Structures are given as C-alpha cells and as structure tokens.
Amino acid sequence: MAGPIYIADDQGAVRAVQLDGLTALFHAPSGMTHLVAPPAPQILDALRQGPADARTLLARISAVYEIEEGSAEAIEARLDELEAAGLVRRA
Amino acid sequence: MGDVMSEQSSKEGVLANPTRRTVLALGAAAASTVVTIRPALAQTVGSVMNCEIPVPGPEHSGQYIAADGSLVAPGTPGSFAPPARPITGEEAKTLLRGGLTPNGMDSQSAQAYANYIRRLQSGMSGFTCYASLQLPR
Amino acid sequence: MRHALNVAIGPVAFRVGSPWKAPVAALAGLYADYPAPADAVCDFTVRLEPEKPWRRWLRPSVAIHGDYMLPDAAPLSLAHGLLAAEMGMNLQMALGQKRFLLLHAATVERGGRAVILTGESGAGKSTLAALLGERGWRLMGDEFALLDCESGLLHPFPRAISLKNGSIAVMRKVAGEGRFGPVLEGTPKGTIRHLKPRADAVARMTEPARPALILFPRFGSERAMRPVGQSEVFVRLTQASTNYVALALRGFEALSHLVGACPAVAIDYPDTDTAISLVEELFRELPQ
Amino acid sequence: MSRLLARILAEPAAARALNPDQWTPLVTAARAESLLGSLAFRLEGEPGLPRKVADILEDARRDSEQARTQALWEAEMARRALAATGVPMILLKGTAIVAAGLDAGRGRSIGDLDILVPRDRLDDVQRALLQAGWEWVKADAYDDLYYRRWMHELPPLIHRSRDRMIDVHHTILPPTARPTPDSAALIRASIALENGHRTLSPEDMVVHSAAHLFADGDLAGGLRNLWDIDRMLREFTARDPGFWPRLAERARLHQLRPAVARALRLARSLYATPVDPALAGRRRLSDLFFEARLLARNGWGQPTRRALRFAFYLRSHWMRMPPLMLARHLWTKATR
C-alpha cells in the first residue's frame, strides 16, 4: 500500500550553502535556517523531481546512490523531520 | 559577497551531478538530520537584564510547589512553601545544573523549585529568564 | 523626563532619560568624549525610571524600560544606575538592532583587519579585548560586533568597557585612573567599573574594518588551540547573535559569507599574557 | 506625541515640516504603538528626511517584511495541520490583513495567529493542532474553565518548536459580551484567497476590527487598530461603491452598529478617513474620552493619563461580563 505523497518546495525557495559536511538551508517561505545532514539534502533533491511517496523516493535515490537494505523506514523518519521543519509537505 | 555565495550555493542540486554509486547512509529511524536555528538571547542575557524568576509567578501567588514542580494548594503534604524572594538568573542556572543549593534553601525545596522552573512555558512570569538560561537547542 | 542624554556609539545613537539626575550625570561623565548623534536623531530610547511612582523616593529602584523591553527584568538599585543605563542600551541593541547582524563578541583591529572574539559570557573576551586595546590594537568593541550585511565589514561599537571583579585590577595596572568610571559595588554581577576606551578608539568609531579571524577564547585551561569547522562556527555565531533570525536572508548571506571567509580557532589560555601571544601568533599567520 | 504620529500617518507630507528634534520622540511613540512599520511605509520615498531617519525607517520596513513572512508561514503550518480535518480555517486580524494583501498590512506588526473555526468543530481542531506540535500554554484549572465557559476562544496554544502562539476562536466576541455577532454568518460570508487561505468578507473584517477595538478590551494598541480601520475603509470603498450600505447591514446583523459607528467617527477625527455620515452618526461627547485614551502616549513612549487608562480597563471587564460574574472573576483573581 502506498504511503502519503510528499511535495518539496522548488529550488528557488531554498538557498543552500555547504559547510564542511553539513548544508545550511535558508528557507524563504518561512524565513528559517536549517542545518541538514545527509541524507536530507539528497531526499529534498529527489523530491524536487516531482511529488512522491517514500517508496518512490527510495527508488529515485537508489538509482544514484548505494544504499543499505530495508531503508524505507529510515526514509519515512527523515520525511517526518523534513515535514515538521516545513521543508516538505503532504500532497 | 555575491560571488562567494554563488560559488557555495548548490545551484545544481546534489542529484544533478552526483558521484556515481556514492554510499548514502539513510540513518537510524531515530537519528535526526535537521537542526533549526532558533532566535537566541542566551549569551547576551547577562548584558541586557537583571533577570529573575518568581516562584510561583504573581498570577499564582500563595500556592505551594510540589516535588515535581507543579503548583498545589498551600499546606499540601510533600509540597514546599515558595521561596521568600524571586530566584535570580544565576541561582536558577546553578539549580538547573543540579549544583549547590542557593543560600536559605534546603536541597529538597530547591529541587522542587528547579522542577517548577523547568515546567515554565511562554507567557508565564519568569519564562523569558528561564529561556535565556537554556543552552542552544 | 527631567534628565536626558543623547550619545552616539559607533553607528548607533541612544537617548537615555530618567527622572533621577544621578544615572544620567554618571553616563554623561563616562561618555563626555563621544559625539552627539548626527541629525540629532537617535535610533533607540532608554528610560531609567521607577517601577512604581512611589519608588522614585521610597527605596528607589531603577527599572530598565525603553523602545524594547523584556518581561522578567528585575530593577536595580539607584546606586547602580550606570549599570542600568548600560543594560538598557544593550537591551535595545539585542532586541532592536535590525541594520547590522549583531554578534555578542568583542572586536579588535590592526591594519584594517579585525579579529572577532566570541564565546559564552565569562570566557574573558571583554578583558582580553580591553588589554589588546592597550597593546597596539584598536578596540572596536567589548560587547557587540556589528556586521554590515551589504559590505561584509564590521562596524565599531566602542562603548565604555564593563569590567567585572578581578579584571578591574588587571586593567587599573595599564590604564590611568582618569579613564575609569565610579566603582559599583554589590551589583548582581559583583563589582563593576567602566573603562573609557582609548581616545583613538573613540575618534575612529565610524571607521569599519574587514573581519579576518574568528576566535573562541576560553579562560582557565592550559594553552591550546583547535581549528573550528565551518558548520560549528555557523551554529555558534547564530547562538551569539540576537538578531540572526530577524534579519532573514540578509543575515544568512552575511553569516555564511563571514564563516566562509574567516578562519576560526578555539583558544584556551591560563592567563592573559598567553592569550595575547596566541592572538598575535594567529594574526601573524593569516594570509596577507 | 501620539497626535503628531496620527497626523503624519494620515498626511505624510507633513513630515517635511518636522524639526530634527521631533523625530526621536515620534519614532519612540510609533514603536510604543506598534506603528513604526506603518509609518515607515507611509514615509517611503518622502524627500528630505534626515539620513538617520531614513535608515531607521528602512530597517523598520525590512523588519515588517520579516514579520509578514513569519505570520504567513505560521498560517500555512496551521493550514497544513488542519488540512486533513476538512475544517474551514478563517484567518483573523493581522494575519488575515497581510494574507489578503491589504493596504493595512503594509508595515503592520503581527502577534499571535488568530483563526476562526465553527464551534462544533473545536474538538477536531484542538486534536489536530496538538498532534502537529502545538501545546497548551499552561493554565490552571480555573483559567481553563474560564476559557471554556466564558470565552470566545480555546485557551492559547503555542507551537513547541516555532514558539508561536495560536488563538482558536469560534466567534469574535466573548459570549458574555452584550452584542452577539452571528458567527455562522461570519463563516458563511468568508472568502477564499488565491493563496489557499480564507478571510472574513471585507465588511466583516471592518466589523471585527471595530468590535475588537471598542467592545473587547481596554483600547491598548487602539491607535494601530484604528489605523487598520482607516486603511480598510479607504481601500474597500475605493474598490466597491456598494461597500457602505453593506457595512451598515453587517454591523446591524452582528449587533455591532454602535461600535462600527464609533470607529468611523474616531477614524475620521484622527486619520481624516472619509466615512459615511449616516453610518457614523452624530459626534458624541464620549468620543472625546476615547480619543484621549487612544492618544495617551508621550514622546518618551510612556503611557500617560493614568486615570483614563484605568477607567477603560474597568470598562473592558464590565463589558465582557455580567456584574455578578465580574465580581466572581475579580474575587477569584484577588484571592488565589
């Protein structure tokens, strides 16, 4: 069964600066700054290709990166965090 | 300044130009990957005010403080009378770290006061002072 | 307000008023060499007034009010009116400053390049900056560094240095009695005495400098230094800033630029001489 | 000083005649009345301002842009939190004004998020907000009971990570107040904005502002609220010639015609607002007291006219509660 579908703000809404290992994001709609660690930036990028549920996202990400087994739960946990921060929303 | 910014910005995004087959750890379900910067006053508070926390606040004056920091009717068994004067910012800092008990308080009531302070929420007397004592979240 | 003083400190002008004469007179003494605000317009107003009307005469206590105020601020005794004025001005900066990114940091400058000293209160940055200010550096400020979001330059905020307890004697050895304000005993922070910055620091208070080095000094341990990574510097500076969030994108850009442009080092020191030699050494090693 | 502030707001060109030493008191009074942002937008582009004044006003404009971003973001987060419940969420007060892009929102300071929802959906709303990270601002049992029994809103909630408060209203005046606005009509007439939010209809927004100003409080911050009314009246009447009769009709429906009439008279007096004379009615002696209360602020930002302020404070309690209840309320507050 498919989980909830998530949407990310487009690239223009977010300014990103790399700071050794972490990414500082300025999110214009909220005026808030978030420091995010991998895999959060990768998830946001994958989600910008179009709305998706956790399973689709996992597929998009594993097309590019080597990832461990059984990662759907971890992706969902990351999406929950990103949703709480307002960086992604449910469709 | 604009130049440096555009060099640093990940304009292309991470996926557009990835290192093929880089290992990406998705992390444990419980780990956190987002830290949000909050407004801060903590470091400057000593410079901007002489801060104190009334226990309890004037809106609840007369009530006693239970060991868990909640407010109860005066004389409730196991509860403590309020301190004679407000707790200063410095004392609160010491109390919250479980350090020495300020003068004129016994350790059990000090513990109850510390718990009261921990339960303060925005809008209550003393909250700004308490919030300012917090380490960065 | 019966008594009032307008004073400019760096790019910021204050109006301080009180129904009592003493706090305003003390402040006027300390800031006698500072210019009056340009255009006769002040950025911020501070009121040092009785909390309740009868408190003007009966056990007088000074409440710190003004354009910006905080709940939970307790009044000070009238004898500590000068400290109340200092806190009142700091409070306006902390809550009301929206032009510059405000960092809770001391700043010193040499050859147009500035060193930012920041860290928790009590780390000794104020005393260290004051000492550097007597040893060939220009003191730009002991409390707040003002980062211009457009130019990336630091503006001075050379208010009178607020010395606490032991550091009063340290500074008394290197600065003449004439530069000190009255001794304020028994304040919530202990004994306090204000030191006027050197004349050149006041004369050059509108002259900005380019940030070159960020230091996180810590007093009390063996001499040590440790480079600090960019993300740690970024987060620590957001926590040292009272207006980072309020400045939104301008703050983000200014701070990320600062963090990208300046090396950052945490330094531990057992005594001030060691601290000064560490600062000199790190400053010499900077690329020209 | 507040009178000068009101005058410059109404007629920005008058700022050219100010002496240099009038500016600091003006800025201080404007800050104390939460009107500095509005003043800054009114004086934008005004020639001949002292350099320092121009800087202060520029900072104020930028600051209010940030306040606007934060307010709209909080509304968006509430909208997301309530989306699954299907409850219509209507923005009120400052957030509604900026969400609708009204003139009154230019430079406006905004505090808590205020929303209006149908009374019979309060439980769903409460549940959804608590689940999305809002928490009760701790209140003891008495306060809680007080809110639930007598107030027009839930006890305030605060978001645990964003530290912003939300007030959830089910009507626009306490049920104990003498006028009883028709909350079902408010909700029925509400309008959808392009950005996905809802606000009250223009007429109801003015009625709500007037109710908030004169029927629900001690007039603290009243100069700013009256400025909202001035801006809205000018904008709504310019857009739509049929506005005045509909405003009159809505004011009658919500039993708030006297409050609306007084708002019109005071706006005309302080901000030179063009108003419908029939709806505004004849000037009353008591208008002078309201005017004096609204202007009770000096150039040091200090409140003045202590006795008058206290009288209005008592009035605010008197209006909200029947006498017996007021006595009980004050007794409980005094004895605990």
Side-chain angles (χ1 to χ4, degrees):
Chain A
M1 202 187 89
I5 306 283
Y6 293 89
I7 305 176
D9 291 304
D10 61 34
Q11 193 85 50
V14 181
R15 292 290 281 272
V17 173
Q18 301 303 322
L19 303 166
D20 55 25
L22 298 185
T23 307
L25 297 179
F26 179 79
H27 182 235
S30 62
M32 294 198 287
T33 302
H34 309 280
L35 260 77
V36 295
Q42 289 79 4
I43 292 175
L44 287 173
D45 273 318
L47 197 51
R48 284 198 192 103
Q49 295 172 11
D53 63 1
R55 193 184 304 193
T56 314
L57 270 179
L58 188 58
R60 282 184 199 164
I61 292 171
S62 29
V64 183
Y65 297 96
E66 199 73 58
I67 51 174
E68 64 231 71
E69 284 295 304
S71 308
E73 260 184 22
I75 290 255
E76 273 164 18
R78 301 289 83 80
L79 283 166
D80 277 350
E81 286 173 4
L82 292 168
E83 187 187 15
L87 289 165
V88 308
R89 64 183 187 278
R90 291 183 196 218
Chain B
M1 159 142 88
D3 298 355
V4 177
M5 283 298 303
S6 52
E7 279 167 31
Q8 288 181 347
S9 302
S10 66
K11 279 230 167 89
E12 313 300 321
V14 185
L15 286 187
N17 187 19
T19 317
R20 192 78 194 147
R21 309 319 296 174
T22 305
V23 176
L24 184 67
L26 294 179
S32 179
T33 55
V34 183
V35 175
T36 301
I37 303 298
R38 290 173 173 237
L41 199 57
Q43 278 191 22
T44 47
V45 74
S47 315
V48 302
M49 68 169 171
N50 176 28
C51 124
E52 51 185 44
I53 303 175
V55 179
E59 64 273 26
H60 301 288
S61 64
Q63 292 192 273
Y64 276 35
I65 296 94
D68 68 354
S70 60
L71 295 180
V72 293
T76 304
S79 71
F80 304 91
R85 54 172 180 78
I87 292 175
T88 68
E90 280 307 311
E91 288 170 346
K93 212 190 270 185
T94 316
L95 272 178
L96 294 173
R97 285 180 186 157
L100 290 171
T101 305
N103 278 344
M105 284 180 210
D106 67 74
S107 63
Q108 280 186 325
S109 52
Q111 204 47 50
Y113 302 156
N115 286 333
Y116 171 83
I117 292 169
R118 285 192 188 97
R119 294 167 71 127
L120 284 175
Q121 295 206 2
S122 180
M124 296 171 69
S125 297
F127 176 76
T128 313
C129 188
Y130 165 62
S132 69
L133 301 173
Q134 297 299 295
L135 294 169
R137 289 188 272 193
Chain C
M1 289 287 171
R2 300 260 308 268
H3 306 277
L5 174 73
N6 290 0
V7 62
I9 305 175
V12 186
F14 297 91
R15 174 175 64 148
V16 182
S18 177
W20 294 291
K21 188 175 178 199
V24 176
L27 196 65
L30 208 52
Y31 288 92
D33 303 327
Y34 288 62
D39 304 331
V41 181
C42 295
D43 296 84
F44 300 116
T45 291
V46 175
R47 308 195 306 264
L48 305 175
E49 57 193 2
E51 189 131 55
K52 295 279 186 290
W54 58 88
R55 280 301 196 101
R56 187 170 160 197
W57 295 280
L58 192 70
R59 286 186 293 128
S61 69
V62 187
I64 302 168
H65 293 159
D67 288 340
Y68 297 88
M69 297 191 247
L70 275 179
D72 309 335
L76 293 166
S77 92
L78 184 55
H80 302 149
L82 197 51
L83 178 61
E86 176 200 317
M87 285 181 162
M89 294 194 290
N90 287 346
L91 180 63
Q92 305 314 308
M93 291 295 280
L95 299 181
Q97 176 54 247
K98 301 291 161 67
R99 172 144 294 245
F100 303 102
L101 180 70
L102 183 139
L103 299 172
H104 186 232
T107 327
V108 293
E109 175 264 358
R110 203 157 67 191
R113 298 196 299 168
V115 179
I116 297 171
L117 305 153
T118 185
E120 299 274 318
S121 292
K125 63 183 166 46
S126 200
T127 314
L128 184 52
L131 270 175
L132 288 163
E134 305 296 323
R135 299 203 191 173
W137 295 75
R138 166 165 68 120
L139 178 79
M140 293 179 67
D142 79 314
E143 177 83 20
F144 294 133
L146 305 176
L147 183 66
D148 188 311
C149 296
E150 276 70 44
S151 68
L153 298 179
L154 284 167
H155 286 261
F157 187 68
R159 52 154 220 182
I161 304 153
S162 184
L163 298 170
K164 293 170 203 79
N165 305 317
S167 54
I168 299 172
V170 173
M171 292 312 295
R172 186 61 196 82
K173 283 182 205 146
V174 291
E177 177 67 23
R179 283 177 52 205
F180 284 85
V183 180
L184 309 178
E185 271 169 6
T187 80
K189 304 186 202 181
T191 302
I192 285 197
R193 208 171 176 198
H194 291 90
L195 169 66
K196 300 178 194 177
R198 292 174 71 96
D200 67 310
V202 176
R204 294 170 64 194
M205 71 182 206
T206 57
E207 187 187 310
R210 183 156 299 282
L213 178 63
I214 301 167
L215 296 179
F216 296 94
R218 197 175 62 185
F219 172 71
S221 317
E222 283 304 294
R223 179 191 154 110
M225 15 182 176
R226 167 180 77 85
V228 185
Q230 288 185 350
S231 44
E232 186 183 339
V233 179
F234 189 94
V235 173
R236 285 176 79 163
L237 291 182
T238 61
Q239 296 310 302
S241 172
T242 54
N243 67 356
Y244 170 76
V245 172
L247 293 193
L249 181 60
R250 290 169 70 232
F252 177 80
E253 293 196 330
L255 189 63
S256 46
H257 178 63
L258 178 73
V259 169
C262 292
V265 186
I267 57 173
D268 292 351
Y269 59 93
D271 53 64
T272 46
D273 281 341
T274 308
I276 287 173
S277 76
L278 276 167
V279 175
E280 294 281 1
E281 185 183 324
L282 288 164
F283 191 73
R284 262 199 313 276
E285 286 169 7
L286 286 176
Q288 283 306 304
Chain D
M1 190 46 62
S2 291
R3 188 174 289 281
L4 180 66
L5 171 62
R7 178 156 163 256
I8 304 280
L9 280 168
E11 190 195 340
R16 291 173 210 173
L18 291 182
N19 299 322
D21 54 7
Q22 281 178 293
W23 278 106
T24 307
L26 180 66
V27 165
T28 297
R31 277 198 181 115
E33 295 292 347
S34 301
L35 275 165
L36 186 63
S38 307
L39 181 70
F41 275 100
R42 286 294 279 166
L43 291 175
E44 190 173 16
E46 192 62 36
L49 299 179
R51 170 72 197 279
K52 186 61 142 180
V53 172
D55 284 354
I56 291 171
L57 298 179
E58 188 189 10
D59 292 349
R61 283 191 293 270
R62 278 198 292 240
D63 203 33
S64 56
E65 286 303 314
Q66 165 69 359
R68 184 176 163 278
T69 301
Q70 285 191 341
L72 291 178
W73 179 249
E74 205 53 29
E76 171 63 15
M77 291 309 265
R79 192 190 64 73
R80 290 181 190 179
L82 298 186
T85 65
V87 178
M89 173 184 107
I90 299 163
L91 299 176
L92 299 175
K93 303 185 189 174
T95 312
I97 287 173
V98 296
L102 298 181
D103 232 20
R106 286 170 62 80
R108 196 187 191 282
S109 64
I110 304 166
D112 305 340
L113 171 62
D114 292 276
I115 61 171
L116 176 72
V117 299
R119 183 170 199 160
D120 58 5
R121 304 298 305 274
L122 274 177
D123 287 344
D124 297 332
V125 169
Q126 176 179 322
R127 202 173 309 118
L129 291 175
L130 290 172
Q131 200 180 352
W134 276 270
E135 296 171 343
W136 299 116
V137 173
K138 200 162 76 178
D140 68 16
Y142 172 75
D143 282 334
D144 202 37
L145 193 65
Y146 168 77
Y147 266 100
R148 282 166 201 278
R149 256 169 92 181
W150 306 118
M151 290 302 281
H152 51 314
E153 57 196 30
L154 291 177
L157 290 150
I158 188 162
H159 193 274
R160 67 167 164 255
S161 61
R162 292 190 304 277
D163 292 334
R164 302 273 297 195
M165 304 249 273
I166 185 170
D167 284 328
V168 181
H169 305 249
H170 57 80
T171 181
I172 55 171
L173 277 182
T176 51
R178 311 294 193 277
T180 309
D182 183 340
S183 48
L186 290 169
I187 293 170
R188 260 198 316 278
S190 69
I191 53 176
L193 303 172
E194 281 175 16
N195 54 18
H197 289 303
R198 295 190 80 79
T199 65
L200 298 176
S201 70
E203 301 79 27
D204 285 347
M205 282 176 92
V206 173
V207 172
H208 181 206
S209 289
H212 185 53
L213 184 50
F214 297 118
D216 181 26
D218 62 357
L219 268 74
L223 208 53
R224 203 272 315 270
N225 295 333
L226 194 64
W227 177 247
D228 284 345
I229 291 172
D230 166 86
R231 293 290 99 182
M232 286 195 283
L233 289 175
R234 287 174 193 261
E235 187 171 2
F236 295 151
T237 52
R239 249 194 234 168
D240 170 9
F243 183 78
W244 288 121
R246 280 209 315 281
L247 177 62
E249 166 55 27
R250 295 302 279 191
R252 191 198 52 75
L253 171 72
H254 297 305
Q255 304 177 7
L256 282 160
R257 204 167 159 135
V260 170
R262 193 182 299 275
L264 264 51
R265 296 194 301 272
L266 287 171
R268 180 177 59 195
S269 166
L270 290 179
Y271 295 126
T273 319
V275 300
D276 177 36
L279 184 52
R282 286 201 16 238
R283 201 167 153 77
R284 294 179 178 207
L285 191 61
S286 57
D287 289 353
L288 292 175
F289 291 102
F290 282 87
E291 205 173 299
R293 171 62 187 84
L294 289 173
L295 297 174
R297 176 88 58 190
N298 67 20
W300 281 89
Q302 293 166 304
T304 56
R305 299 177 187 269
R306 218 170 241 292
L308 189 62
R309 281 175 179 268
F310 186 64
F312 272 95
Y313 170 78
L314 286 183
R315 172 183 173 272
S316 74
H317 276 82
W318 172 255
M319 280 184 318
R320 267 189 288 197
M321 295 183 194
L324 181 63
M325 204 172 112
L326 174 60
R328 197 160 57 186
H329 173 70
L330 293 176
W331 170 253
T332 313
K333 272 211 179 297
T335 53
R336 67 183 180 186

